[in-house]
Amino acid sequence: MAAWGERLAGVRGVLLDISGVLYDGGEDGGTPIPGSVEAVARLKLSKLKVRFCTNDSQKSRRDLVGLLQRQGFDISEGEVTSPAPATSLILKERGLRPHLLIHDGVRSEFDQIDTSNPNCVVIADAGEGFSYQNMNEAFRVLMDLEKPVLISLGKGRYYKETSGLMLDVGAYMKALEYACGIEAEVVGKPSPEYFQLALKEMGVEAHETQRIGQSPMLRLTEIAPKRPCGGACRQEHLS
């Protein structure tokens, strides 16, 4: 514990990535990364505030938390910042009516959103839903708008599951950007605004926060974005 105390000196809060840090997903629900359940438990026993950040846009926050709880993690819905609820809030605040190109697993997050006569497109990791027909329908909606708005739940290139690497939403987002000549608004990592939301929910400043994350090639190791956490969050690996 002394080593942890030294490494976390001056830190009041910890931001934890989920996929690739806590567990590797898969069709069977995935598997916890060795040592991650115990590491989270150690953090929870400390006086640090803990927040979990995810770009997972195939599961509702409730389903994701349930999965992690079954794997042994001490986690609750109120501790998770995820892009779908954040996007839903943005849509309400701006009076946007989305055409949804999303996975069925996250559709419940948009149950209270008006989707009639869409004036924007929301794209997430739709998995098998990324057919030509569905992509072309989203393209047509955008092209018919005077001021097209494309909102993407994250912009990852790919992610890791137990079966191997999986193409992520960023590739499809870029296709719509190129075809329509627009730039998407990203809700999720690595958007500084997304990290600022997590910090606000946690009640700490960026300089008081340690971010623990990963890259697809270095498990449990953070590759710092250019503007992490919307400020100067520290970067660390969970080991």
Side-chain angles (χ1 to χ4, degrees):
M1 293 299 292
W4 271 84
E6 293 173 5
R7 289 157 69 181
L8 298 178
V11 172
R12 294 180 55 225
V14 175
L15 285 177
L16 280 169
D17 287 4
I18 294 180
S19 179
V21 172
L22 302 187
Y23 85 114
D24 284 329
E27 292 184 1
D28 59 351
T31 57
I33 290 172
S36 58
V37 172
E38 295 79 9
V40 170
R42 287 174 63 190
L43 284 174
K44 288 295 192 75
L45 288 173
S46 73
K47 295 181 180 180
L48 295 169
K49 295 183 178 181
V50 178
R51 191 84 192 165
F52 301 88
C53 283
T54 181
N55 268 1
D56 191 324
S57 57
Q58 288 197 351
K59 303 179 190 69
S60 68
R61 183 162 50 178
R62 176 179 297 179
D63 289 344
L64 177 61
V65 168
L67 170 65
L68 292 171
Q69 288 174 340
R70 290 191 295 274
Q71 293 181 349
F73 289 100
D74 180 4
I75 184 173
S76 65
E77 267 190 78
E79 295 174 310
V80 177
T81 298
S82 59
T87 300
S88 182
L89 182 61
I90 290 170
L91 295 172
K92 291 177 181 178
E93 290 176 345
R94 293 167 56 181
L96 294 172
R97 304 179 304 276
H99 170 82
L100 297 172
L101 180 48
I102 61 177
H103 195 278
D104 285 343
V106 80
R107 199 167 293 275
S108 62
E109 300 280 15
F110 298 91
D111 281 348
Q112 304 303 314
I113 299 297
D114 181 7
T115 57
S116 63
N117 190 26
N119 57 4
C120 73
V121 168
V122 169
I123 184 174
D125 182 7
E128 297 298 325
F130 280 132
S131 64
Y132 174 81
Q133 180 179 353
N134 290 341
M135 282 289 289
N136 200 52
E137 186 177 2
F139 163 72
R140 288 177 173 176
V141 170
L142 290 167
M143 292 298 286
D144 284 343
L145 296 173
E146 183 178 351
K147 295 181 179 180
V149 175
L150 173 62
I151 299 176
S152 180
L153 277 63
K155 64 173 185 178
R157 294 178 297 166
Y158 56 92
Y159 56 92
K160 183 176 182 293
E161 289 197 343
T162 53
S163 60
L165 298 179
M166 309 293 288
L167 199 61
D168 204 353
V169 64
Y172 302 94
M173 178 197 81
K174 286 294 183 182
L176 290 174
E177 283 185 331
Y178 179 71
C180 300
I182 60 175
E183 184 174 347
E185 301 176 28
V186 177
V187 180
K189 300 176 292 184
S191 164
E193 292 79 12
Y194 187 66
F195 286 116
Q196 284 289 356
L197 173 63
L199 293 173
K200 182 179 178 180
E201 291 171 330
M202 194 162 47
V204 298
E205 300 294 330
H207 69 275
E208 302 172 315
T209 305
Q210 182 95 34
R211 182 180 171 202
I212 300 175
Q214 56 90 42
S215 80
M217 301 307 293
L218 294 173
R219 179 176 289 182
L220 302 181
T221 301
E222 176 60 25
I223 304 300
K226 293 181 180 179
R227 292 190 294 167
C229 306
C233 279
R234 307 179 186 191
Q235 311 295 320
E236 188 59 88
H237 60 86
L238 191 61
S239 62

